[in-house]
Amino acid sequence: MTWTPGELAPAPGAAPMSRMLAAQAAAELKLVLRNGEQVLLSLVIPLGLLVVLVTVPFIPVDEGSRADFFVPGVLALAVMSTAFTGQAIGVGFERQYGVLKRLGATPLPRSVLLLGKTLAVLAVELLQVTLLCLTGLALGWEPRGSVLAVIALVVLGTAAFSGLGLLLGGTLSGLTTLAAANLLWFVLLVLGGVLFPVSRFGAAEPVLSLLPTAALSHGLREVLVDAALPLRDLAALAVWAVLSLAAASRLFRWE
Amino acid sequence: MTAAAPDVALEVRGLVKAYDGRAVVDALSFSVRHGTVLALLGPNGAGKTTTVEICQGFRSPDAGSVSVLGRAPRDPELRPRVGVMPQTGGAYPGLRCAEMLRLVASYAASPLDPDDLLDRLGLTPVARTPYRRLSGGQQQRLSLALAVVGRPELVFLDEPTAGLDPQARHATWELVEALRRDGVTVVLTTHLLDEAERLADDVVVVDHGRVVAAGTVAELTSSGAVGQLRFRSRPELDLDQLLAALPVGCTAKESPSGQYLVEAPGDVDPQLLAAVTAWCATNDAMAADLRVEQRSLEDVFLELTGRGLRT
């Protein structure tokens, strides 16, 4: 296996950004879909939960159909699972394995790396939303409201959860991130208005309703059930997004 | 900071880095000429990795300056021009070997052919194996491939052959030699003396964060060297008579019986060899197992850094 002279002659140069981004996003998406725990967290659990919650009446619903109440909540859970939990755990272990450090020594700009991750998150969310909506419709869900308002909520929610995920995964070790992200996923599942409205918590409601999961699930219900424009929830998510992304960009450690 | 000479690819001056008040790199200076291979040689914990990580822009020095291809280490313009092989890790655990290499190749404008590179490094059989299931040696070779696939001008290899079997070590060495022939500058850290001896144009011996010796392998092994000539013959030759026939400054001893050692300042030259064998001939002594020995890089290294074990 000898090398021909000139074969390794330097020819340095960065690829066009578009090519880097496409390759990075494809790789990130592959990693998510190949990761069993992440598929479980992002697809299997939300889908199973939706079917069980709608068809088995062990959690009473105040008014309207069970599907109308639970589809928005599970959509919020799905966004949280992918943008926050999955991303935090992924980034935590990538740091631990020295991946991000290694990529830091390649022509890939950090912005393209993060944009690639974001595109992969959005692609998974598209898959989740499609599957959950189809399942919801099959279970008798009757959505109302504006699609644009739903997209705005999901995009702002994704930004807020991504910021929180990068903050967690970018500052703690892989295993600590794994534990913290899963714990927070469960806490927010219970307290975030996914299973029952935050109003059930009485005096704690004003605080709990500001949690990103609660704002997203409540906002989605406002749009999809009442065809309203949930400005307060949009504002809460926007504040979470700005704060978490700013904190992540300051505190994120690449190794 | 004055500009480095144009033929210098890497210039490190007065570098200092301390962790918790302990200097890991202590006023280190060296430079690497374009298109040459420099080995940073030193025992574990000598400060080699910290030094290269500062050069790669991963760490900031406490003092001193580094110029990489005439630029500051963190200059983004350097990224396509410099290839880095870290000591461990550096790949997505869930990506397959070939996927990881193709991904990094896709960052470069005119990369090497990833499949060909895998083949050259013996990784084709594991091309579809996820990174986390590769053996340590396979991960090392992939890491080497990742460092060179973008066709950089300067490559940092941090202990490139640590843990490799002899075949993989030779494949790595061949690649480094081919890089050098094609004009790529290579900075490698190692504690393997045969590696430095075989690959490096220049060696910088580092210990406790300082340069303890620097020069070509030949310079390091010949400076202050003592040439040694060993032979076996019948016991109790008259050594005083032998020494009288040799140049001034030589010593001779018999230990154990019948084993002779002649030492000469500098190298053993043909004249000395001829003088010893001629003397043996006139004394009807058969010199068997005649060996000329020179100080190896290992002798120099152990002299410079001591024989105590490093923690």
Side-chain angles (χ1 to χ4, degrees):
Chain A
M1 73 175 71
T2 50
W3 296 86
T4 318
E7 223 176 333
L8 297 167
M17 293 285 178
S18 55
R19 200 168 92 204
M20 288 194 218
L21 181 59
Q24 193 62 32
E28 299 278 354
L29 183 60
K30 229 180 263 181
L31 284 165
V32 175
L33 296 179
R34 229 177 242 172
N35 183 323
E37 293 97 60
Q38 210 152 322
V39 170
L40 186 73
L41 197 71
S42 298
L43 288 169
V44 180
I45 290 179
L47 269 174
L49 208 56
L50 179 64
V51 172
V52 171
L53 288 170
V54 173
T55 55
V56 186
F58 65 94
I59 296 179
V61 171
D62 293 344
E63 55 191 43
S65 87
R66 299 186 64 78
D68 286 358
F69 179 80
F70 285 119
V71 171
V74 173
L75 283 175
L77 176 73
V79 170
M80 171 173 81
S81 300
T82 303
F84 171 69
T85 319
Q87 194 153 225
I89 295 169
V91 166
F93 280 105
E94 282 162 19
R95 281 175 51 241
Q96 190 158 322
Y97 277 91
V99 183
L100 299 185
K101 183 178 172 185
R102 158 45 102 12
L103 296 186
T106 68
L108 180 77
R110 286 173 174 182
S111 55
V112 176
L113 171 66
L114 291 179
L115 203 55
K117 286 186 177 297
T118 307
L119 286 182
V121 165
L122 291 174
V124 174
E125 286 180 355
L126 193 64
L127 184 65
Q128 290 174 301
V129 170
T130 307
L131 285 173
L132 289 170
C133 287
L134 289 175
T135 309
L137 291 170
L139 294 169
W141 176 46
E142 289 172 24
R144 280 168 287 269
S146 132
V147 176
L148 281 180
V150 171
I151 291 174
L153 281 163
V154 169
V155 167
L156 278 177
T158 303
F161 282 125
S162 293
L164 292 168
L166 294 174
L167 184 60
L168 200 64
T171 53
L172 304 177
S173 77
L175 277 174
T176 315
T177 304
L178 180 71
N182 280 323
L183 180 69
L184 281 170
W185 180 88
F186 185 73
V187 169
L188 289 168
L189 167 71
V190 175
L191 300 183
V194 175
L195 302 174
F196 26 78
V198 174
S199 54
R200 296 266 172 94
F201 294 101
E205 187 197 345
V207 178
L208 292 182
S209 66
L210 294 174
L211 291 173
T213 318
L216 185 56
S217 62
H218 183 264
L220 287 171
R221 260 175 217 132
E222 290 269 281
V223 179
L224 294 166
V225 179
D226 303 325
L229 190 61
L231 289 175
R232 183 172 173 275
D233 296 318
L234 283 168
L237 290 173
V239 170
W240 276 108
V242 169
L243 291 180
S244 65
L245 288 169
S249 69
R250 281 180 66 90
L251 300 173
F252 194 92
R253 291 200 305 263
W254 295 85
E255 53 177 302
Chain B
M1 189 173 101
T2 50
D7 66 331
V8 169
L10 175 68
E11 171 104 66
V12 174
R13 272 193 222 158
L15 204 63
V16 177
K17 180 75 182 177
Y19 293 117
D20 305 323
R22 197 176 62 90
V24 178
V25 177
D26 193 3
L28 199 74
S29 300
F30 65 91
S31 63
V32 188
R33 289 168 292 135
H34 266 297
T36 63
V37 177
L38 178 114
L40 274 178
L41 190 64
N44 293 330
K48 307 186 295 287
T49 297
T50 304
T51 302
V52 294
E53 290 202 340
I54 292 170
C55 297
Q56 293 157 358
F58 288 131
R59 297 181 198 294
S60 309
D62 297 334
S65 69
V66 176
S67 163
V68 183
L69 301 172
R71 291 168 182 274
R74 294 212 167 130
D75 188 335
E77 198 265 350
L78 284 177
R79 299 264 212 92
R81 299 174 65 192
V82 176
V84 169
M85 174 183 178
Q87 211 172 97
T88 52
Y92 286 103
L95 278 191
R96 295 179 179 137
C97 181
E99 287 173 342
M100 186 67 209
L101 185 57
R102 283 196 203 105
L103 176 65
V104 172
S106 76
Y107 303 154
S110 42
L112 299 175
D113 176 9
D115 295 324
D116 182 54
L117 192 51
L118 287 180
D119 200 36
R120 306 288 192 112
L121 291 170
L123 292 170
T124 304
V126 292
R128 294 181 52 78
T129 305
Y131 177 79
R132 65 169 176 274
R133 286 216 293 271
L134 295 177
S135 73
Q138 290 161 346
Q139 291 184 346
Q140 285 277 98
R141 278 176 279 159
L142 174 60
S143 188
L144 177 66
L146 294 172
V148 302
V149 71
R151 304 183 67 178
E153 291 165 56
L154 167 64
V155 181
F156 289 99
L157 308 175
D158 199 355
E159 306 210 349
T161 59
L164 291 187
D165 61 28
Q167 288 82 358
R169 179 165 299 171
H170 275 274
T172 302
W173 287 353
E174 279 178 15
L175 177 54
V176 172
E177 283 162 352
L179 286 167
R180 178 181 176 279
R181 189 184 55 202
D182 285 346
V184 179
T185 309
V186 180
V187 177
L188 64 94
T189 74
T190 185
H191 52 243
L192 300 175
L193 298 136
D194 56 340
E195 185 160 289
E197 213 155 17
R198 167 158 175 182
L199 297 179
D201 295 294
D202 295 290
V203 176
V204 172
V205 183
V206 180
D207 196 19
H208 303 297
R210 291 171 168 274
V211 174
V212 291
T216 63
V217 173
E219 283 165 2
L220 287 179
T221 49
S222 64
S223 68
V226 176
Q228 296 183 325
L229 182 68
R230 290 175 194 277
F231 62 96
R232 193 164 52 78
S233 190
R234 64 165 196 267
E236 290 172 28
L237 293 176
D238 188 340
L239 294 179
D240 290 336
Q241 215 184 47
L242 169 62
L243 282 178
L246 300 182
V248 184
C250 291
T251 60
K253 63 178 178 183
E254 180 184 2
S255 168
S257 175
Q259 306 275 355
Y260 295 90
L261 169 65
V262 175
E263 289 191 327
D267 288 342
V268 172
D269 53 24
Q271 288 71 31
L272 180 69
L273 186 62
V276 171
T277 49
W279 182 84
C280 286
T282 51
N283 287 274
D284 199 25
M286 176 63 200
D289 289 346
L290 194 83
R291 297 201 299 286
V292 176
E293 288 175 355
Q294 233 189 350
R295 231 164 48 141
S296 68
L297 191 54
E298 182 156 355
D299 297 326
V300 178
F301 181 76
L302 291 173
E303 261 165 48
L304 291 168
T305 60
R307 288 178 185 268
L309 286 178
R310 300 308 169 95
T311 47

